[in-house]
Amino acid sequence: MALVDIRQLGISFGGLRAVDNFNLTMDDGQLYGLIGPNGAGKTTIFNLLTGVYKPTDGEFYFDGELMNGKTPIQINKKGIARTFQNIRLFSNMSVIDNVKTGLQAKYHYSMLDGILRLPKFGRMEREMTDRAMELLKIFDLDGEAEQLASNLPYGKQRKLEIARALATDPKLLLLDEPAAGMNPNETAELMNTISLIREKFKVSILLIEHDMSLVMGICEKIVVLLYGRVIANGIPDEIKNDPKVIVAYLGE
Amino acid sequence: MDFIQQFINGLSLGSIYALIALGYTMVYGIAKMLNFAHGDVIMVGAYVLSIAAMQAGLSPVMSILFPVIVCMAACTILGVTIEKIAYKPLRNASPLAVLITAIGVSYFLQSVALLIFGSNQRKVNSVIPKFSLSLGDIHLSGEAITTLVVTVIIMICLALFINFTKVGKAMRAVSEDKGAAQLMGISVNSTISLTFAIGSFLAAIASILFVSSYGFVGPYSGAMPGIKAFVAAVLGGIGSIPGAMLGGIILGIIESMAKAYISTELADAIVFSVLIIVLLVKPTGFLGRKTITKV
Amino acid sequence: MKNKKNIIYTAIAIVVYLLLFALVETGTASRQMQNLIVPVLVNIILAVSLNLIVGFLGELTLGHAGFMSVGAYAGCMFTVSCNLPVYIELPVAFVIGGLTAAVFGFIIGIPALRLKGDYLAIVTLGFGEIIRSILNSMDIVGGSGGLKGIEKSGNYTVAYVLMIITLIVISNVIHSCHGRSIKAIRDNVIAAESVGVNVVYYKMFAFVLSAFFAGVAGVLYGQNLGILKPATFDFNKSIEILVMVVLGGMGNIKGSIIAAVILTVLPELLRDLADYRMLFYALALIIMMLFSSNPTLVEFRQRIFSRSKREVN
């Protein structure tokens, strides 16, 4: 059974059909690219999948379960985590606390444990710190653990967002333009990191990206969106040579 | 008969709320901030009016016109100055910081008035000529009629201004999207300043009508009507001009009915309860628009 | 390192108490100063509990005096109508006051979940006014004349213990995963939801906890003064507490404590300047916000601050 099964998903904002008849299936561990010109509806699809927007029609099955109507929190608990196109960190919290916020669901202790500083509090906090440091290390952020998130340079903020998303232990990771604003070196490094986390965490990834070399380089399959509709879906080589895609990107 | 009289009292009270609410709604719609000090600008206007009215040796017409013009000028300048000093530096700050600053400004105006004029209420003579209408048992004072007429005229002018003039369109553009408006060559800062000027000008008119109806002003006179007018703006749907009008009238009627038939003591409590209930049922108010959060 | 910090804090708490004890019992402190101790402690509880909402949750409420009054009346009504030994009566009164305020915190929390920013400020302001009007017209609690004949059992020791409990609870909450969730909501609601933070639950929790301690502070206030008047708990009281939070630094508990002490003691010492008190509050709010949120002024402040730091080194 496919991990992700999206059937005829669509949403309208007033008269605007932002996404129409979107279908996609993803298997465990697959790395899928979602590309398209600006305003094609890519981020809207992320918002539909994470419960930020409610679809007007269609169904979204994740791990065999219908996700329509679930809240962002419920969806995250089911195993979907995301990053944001315009970075949304907890900017007045430390880098490590950003990651710990993602870990909390798994290392839970009660209010009473916290207020009375019962043993469970200390144990869970310690385990959380260790786990958070492991995650930060992967993204080369362990040196900045105690810094305020807002003081990180742009590229590191993007990485921290991915680390925070991974902290929730997702089966599916949605990355919204992770390489935006990075230089070619940083992008190359990010590509390696993405491949690494995919193997290490056994996570499926759906990736929105404008950097074609990144998308073509690491994605197994790519789906192309134009005006809210899918115009192509296949392996990178097919996409590269698809006349409709070429027209969409370069014009007639 | 008493009921109709109360209804008319509410209408006249409500039209003052509506007038103040128009100022709130304009500033909120464009600068996206609750100008807590709006009510206190009205208080300052009332003091200015009372001082200007003492000017001796003016012709009968000028003795009305002079204080009115001075009051309008003072409020407008005050409003724009507040915006320049306190709000403009916080244009990109968190809404919380702006709101706290606005509360600070409101407190500042009150405390300055307290230091200058003391806590006693000061008598202000009405600048509205004495006349009244009576229909059987129902009595309409000149102040009530003037307030109603002026409020309706101003609402219409404001709606025309916002919808059909170039500056009005610029204001609407800024309220929709500051960034995009700037790219289209609209100066966001001067548009916001202008909005404050208009809002404060409306406050001056409200101040004249308010103080003419009540006859007294004290350092805290503006605070409660200001807050209630904001409640009216929220009830009607913030940012909507007819909404402010509708909200103000409804609030005025509720308040005067509550005072007459339930309890004077609890009238304010009832007004605020209505607000809480309306916001729970319809957070956008009667005529407000729903907005989509962008992610 | 954590332990070392705890030991220092405990030591400070004991030393401060011994100091108070010495000042009061030996009669070194003037009557005026002695009478100020409990109000200072009450204000610390109020400021720290309000900081939980304003500083850590990032929402503005203007009804803290409302929560305080609800708790005060509930708790003091209990002590007035019961005739139990004081060591039973008083703790029960605090719990009753706290819980009653917490219930109201829950009720006010419901609109707070849907509203934010300016709307919430107005709703909480309205809530404070509603409570005051109702208390004013309720004869059973003395109406506008006030609730009289409350036993003055809230002495400085009781107040000090309550303040310490408040500080421990709120500070422990903030430095736990629950506090992290509250701060995450403040910084970015959408991101908080995306990592599974239960926004509804934690917003509600912050409101209830904050209201609880405001209620406790209210009972303490009543049990110390011996009388409760609705007019005490007006909008100005809420603003006074807000000024303490803002002046001490939003999200800074130590700052709230210092600001509460200064803003309670100073007006008493400078009685001649009482008229300027409001003006000072107003300027404090405006200047603090400008210096904490205007980019140019923030830079200016940081420059000066870093220079003085360098000189110290």
Side-chain angles (χ1 to χ4, degrees):
Chain A
M1 186 184 54
L3 179 71
V4 173
D5 186 2
I6 303 169
R7 295 178 198 161
Q8 283 141 25
L9 205 64
I11 185 168
S12 307
F13 296 115
L16 177 79
R17 191 79 184 148
V19 172
D20 188 35
N21 195 20
F22 182 77
N23 295 288
L24 185 72
T25 48
M26 275 175 77
D27 295 324
D28 274 325
Q30 208 168 24
L31 207 170
Y32 229 112
L34 176 57
I35 65 171
N38 282 329
K42 304 181 296 289
T43 299
T44 306
I45 288 179
F46 272 22
N47 286 334
L48 287 171
L49 299 187
T50 50
V52 176
Y53 294 158
K54 306 277 169 250
T56 10
D57 33 350
E59 288 108 44
F60 166 37
Y61 291 92
F62 180 71
D63 227 0
E65 195 177 339
L66 186 66
M67 290 291 163
N68 291 39
K70 285 202 170 23
T71 63
I73 300 165
Q74 289 168 329
I75 287 178
N76 177 259
K77 293 236 184 311
K78 292 285 170 203
I80 301 179
R82 72 176 289 186
T83 67
F84 298 87
Q85 191 177 357
N86 45 347
I87 302 174
R88 286 176 179 270
L89 286 173
F90 306 132
S91 42
N92 294 311
M93 291 163 68
S94 67
V95 167
I96 189 163
D97 272 358
N98 267 271
V99 179
K100 277 177 154 187
T101 309
L103 288 168
Q104 278 170 185
K106 225 170 101 190
Y107 298 85
H108 189 73
Y109 53 85
S110 73
M111 203 75 79
L112 216 58
D113 291 326
I115 290 173
L116 301 178
R117 291 287 188 252
L118 296 178
K120 194 174 177 194
F121 164 81
R123 203 172 59 238
M124 284 303 166
E125 281 291 325
R126 265 196 308 281
E127 283 177 25
M128 240 191 278
T129 308
D130 293 347
R131 179 79 184 127
M133 287 309 286
E134 266 175 50
L135 280 164
L136 288 176
K137 210 168 203 128
I138 294 172
F139 292 93
D140 199 21
L141 285 164
D142 47 332
E144 282 108 336
E146 295 301 331
Q147 274 193 31
L148 273 190
S150 54
N151 290 345
L152 289 181
Y154 193 75
K156 293 201 168 186
Q157 291 197 1
R158 289 232 171 263
K159 287 183 179 177
L160 177 56
E161 251 202 335
I162 303 177
R164 181 183 68 188
L166 277 176
T168 64
D169 206 10
K171 288 179 213 155
L172 172 66
L173 184 59
L174 308 176
L175 299 178
D176 200 341
E177 297 194 25
M182 288 186 178
N183 63 34
N185 284 336
E186 288 174 321
T187 307
E189 195 193 318
L190 183 75
M191 276 171 70
N192 287 333
T193 318
I194 291 175
S195 308
L196 179 83
I197 55 176
R198 182 179 155 210
E199 303 206 339
K200 203 172 153 99
F201 293 89
K202 308 261 177 291
V203 63
S204 309
I205 297 175
L206 182 59
L207 177 83
I208 296 178
E209 189 48 69
H210 278 297
D211 190 313
M212 278 305 144
S213 64
L214 189 142
V215 177
M216 296 293 171
I218 62 173
C219 292
E220 285 151 3
K221 287 181 96 176
I222 295 172
V223 54
V224 189
L225 216 59
L226 183 68
Y227 298 126
R229 290 166 176 275
V230 175
I231 55 167
N233 189 348
I235 58 167
D237 282 335
E238 291 168 7
I239 298 295
K240 254 183 245 174
N241 302 319
D242 191 309
K244 271 188 282 182
V245 177
I246 294 168
V247 169
Y249 269 89
L250 302 175
E252 304 269 355
Chain B
M1 270 306 125
D2 184 48
F3 181 82
I4 297 175
Q5 181 66 53
Q6 291 304 337
F7 186 83
I8 287 170
N9 290 350
L11 214 59
S12 113
L13 177 66
S15 52
I16 290 181
Y17 286 152
L19 202 51
I20 309 175
L22 284 176
Y24 269 115
T25 240
M26 281 202 56
V27 169
Y28 199 99
I30 287 148
K32 298 281 177 284
M33 66 162 291
L34 164 51
N35 181 13
F36 229 91
H38 191 72
D40 302 294
V41 172
I42 290 167
M43 174 270 295
V44 173
Y47 273 115
V48 170
L49 187 77
S50 78
I51 293 167
M54 291 192 304
Q55 178 74 30
L58 294 170
S59 65
V61 177
M62 275 312 283
S63 71
I64 293 176
L65 227 51
F66 176 71
V68 166
I69 290 169
V70 172
C71 171
M72 286 173 174
C75 286
T76 311
I77 293 168
L78 181 65
V80 174
T81 312
I82 291 172
E83 198 271 332
K84 276 258 156 11
I85 295 175
Y87 303 153
K88 196 177 162 196
L90 298 174
R91 195 79 86 221
N92 297 315
S94 74
L96 187 66
V98 182
L99 185 56
I100 291 176
T101 310
I103 293 173
V105 173
S106 157
Y107 239 58
F108 177 80
L109 294 179
Q110 287 176 22
S111 61
V112 170
L114 183 69
L115 288 174
I116 298 176
F117 300 104
S119 58
N120 287 337
Q121 299 254 317
R122 184 188 171 101
K123 189 158 177 13
V124 188
N125 291 325
S126 171
V127 292
I128 296 167
K130 284 261 166 294
F131 69 98
S132 65
L133 264 180
S134 288
L135 286 166
D137 291 345
I138 299 160
H139 180 77
L140 265 169
S141 73
E143 282 85 6
I145 298 169
T146 315
T147 309
L148 252 167
V149 172
V150 169
T151 307
V152 170
I153 292 173
I154 285 181
M155 191 200 88
I156 293 169
C157 291
L158 207 56
L160 292 176
F161 173 76
I162 292 283
N163 286 308
F164 297 108
T165 64
K166 204 173 163 190
V167 185
K169 281 178 189 160
M171 285 181 167
R172 271 160 52 216
V174 172
S175 100
E176 288 285 330
D177 191 329
K178 271 189 210 151
Q182 201 146 26
L183 290 175
M184 296 296 120
I186 296 168
S187 162
V188 171
N189 274 331
S190 51
T191 307
I192 291 180
S193 290
L194 183 68
T195 310
F196 268 86
I198 295 174
S200 309
F201 178 75
L202 294 177
I205 297 173
S207 156
I208 295 161
L209 294 171
F210 179 69
V211 86
S212 294
S213 300
Y214 288 85
F216 288 96
V217 59
Y220 311 114
S221 295
M224 230 343 136
I227 289 165
K228 283 192 199 150
F230 181 72
V231 169
V234 171
L235 281 184
I238 201 104
S240 151
I241 288 172
M245 187 80 196
L246 181 71
I249 301 281
I250 290 176
L251 200 70
I253 291 170
I254 292 174
E255 188 178 328
S256 70
M257 292 290 171
K259 273 191 178 139
Y261 299 110
I262 303 174
S263 140
T264 319
E265 209 62 312
L266 291 177
D268 286 356
I270 291 166
V271 165
F272 285 114
S273 310
V274 169
L275 170 78
I276 295 176
I277 293 164
V278 169
L279 282 180
L280 281 178
V281 177
K282 197 170 184 304
T284 50
F286 297 128
L287 303 178
R289 281 188 309 169
K290 215 181 156 185
T291 49
I292 301 162
T293 9
K294 291 222 171 82
V295 177
Chain C
M1 207 187 111
K2 274 244 166 77
N3 275 328
K4 210 167 133 193
K5 243 183 179 172
N6 286 341
I7 292 167
I8 293 172
Y9 284 148
T10 315
I12 293 176
I14 294 169
V15 169
V16 170
Y17 179 73
L18 291 178
L19 219 64
L20 286 180
F21 183 81
L23 283 175
V24 175
E25 303 301 326
T26 61
T28 323
S30 65
R31 195 90 240 132
Q32 188 200 9
M33 270 300 148
Q34 288 192 24
N35 285 341
L36 264 181
I37 295 175
V38 176
V40 165
L41 298 170
V42 167
N43 281 340
I44 292 177
I45 299 177
L46 289 170
V48 171
S49 58
L50 182 64
N51 206 343
L52 183 64
I53 296 186
V54 178
F56 293 98
L57 184 66
E59 296 283 7
L60 185 60
T61 81
L62 298 175
H64 216 54
F67 294 132
M68 182 189 177
S69 67
V70 170
Y73 272 88
C76 294
M77 273 301 278
F78 171 77
T79 58
V80 167
S81 52
C82 275
N83 253 328
L84 296 166
V86 92
Y87 57 87
I88 298 175
E89 198 175 77
L90 210 49
V92 175
F94 288 128
V95 172
I96 289 178
L99 288 181
T100 313
V103 169
F104 278 86
F106 184 82
I107 296 169
I108 279 301
I110 297 170
L113 296 174
R114 298 188 54 175
L115 309 168
K116 55 188 173 200
D118 311 329
Y119 286 65
L120 181 62
I122 287 291
V123 165
T124 49
L125 189 162
F127 158 76
E129 292 298 310
I130 293 172
I131 295 293
R132 199 163 56 90
S133 313
I134 292 175
L135 289 175
N136 249 329
S137 59
M138 253 170 86
D139 292 331
I140 189 172
V141 296
S144 57
L147 181 63
K148 298 186 187 77
I150 306 163
E151 202 183 334
K152 293 190 186 179
S153 50
N155 60 25
Y156 72 96
T157 306
V158 174
Y160 196 77
V161 171
L162 286 177
M163 182 206 67
I164 294 291
I165 293 175
T166 310
L167 290 183
I168 292 176
V169 170
I170 292 193
S171 142
N172 280 359
V173 163
I174 284 161
H175 296 107
S176 71
C177 67
H178 311 290
R180 222 176 278 129
S181 298
I182 291 171
K183 286 183 275 183
I185 294 169
R186 170 194 67 192
D187 282 358
N188 202 313
V189 180
I190 289 167
E193 282 187 328
S194 85
V195 293
V197 171
N198 191 336
V199 174
V200 171
Y201 175 82
Y202 282 110
K203 268 192 175 177
M204 201 54 120
F205 167 70
F207 265 88
V208 169
L209 191 67
S210 172
F212 178 87
F213 284 111
V216 171
V219 181
L220 183 57
Y221 173 87
Q223 294 295 133
N224 179 248
L225 206 64
I227 181 168
L228 288 174
K229 280 190 172 175
T232 324
F233 307 101
D234 61 356
F235 178 57
N236 290 322
K237 181 69 190 171
S238 295
I239 293 288
E240 192 186 317
I241 310 166
L242 179 68
V243 173
M244 291 171 190
V245 172
V246 170
L247 207 60
M250 290 191 281
N252 184 338
I253 291 184
K254 281 176 217 143
S256 292
I257 299 172
I258 295 167
V261 174
I262 293 175
L263 287 183
T264 323
V265 175
L266 215 55
E268 282 298 315
L269 294 181
L270 307 173
R271 282 211 170 199
D272 300 340
L273 301 175
D275 287 348
Y276 291 90
R277 183 170 165 170
M278 259 181 81
L279 186 66
F280 171 73
Y281 285 175
L283 291 174
L285 287 177
I286 299 171
I287 292 169
M288 285 302 289
M289 283 303 111
L290 288 179
F291 273 89
S292 68
S293 299
N294 178 258
T296 335
L297 289 175
V298 167
E299 202 181 300
F300 174 73
R301 190 196 63 196
Q302 281 167 346
R303 226 175 29 229
I304 293 198
F305 193 65
S306 65
R307 187 177 303 154
S308 62
K309 237 184 187 172
R310 233 177 292 140
E311 278 162 10
V312 169
N313 293 337

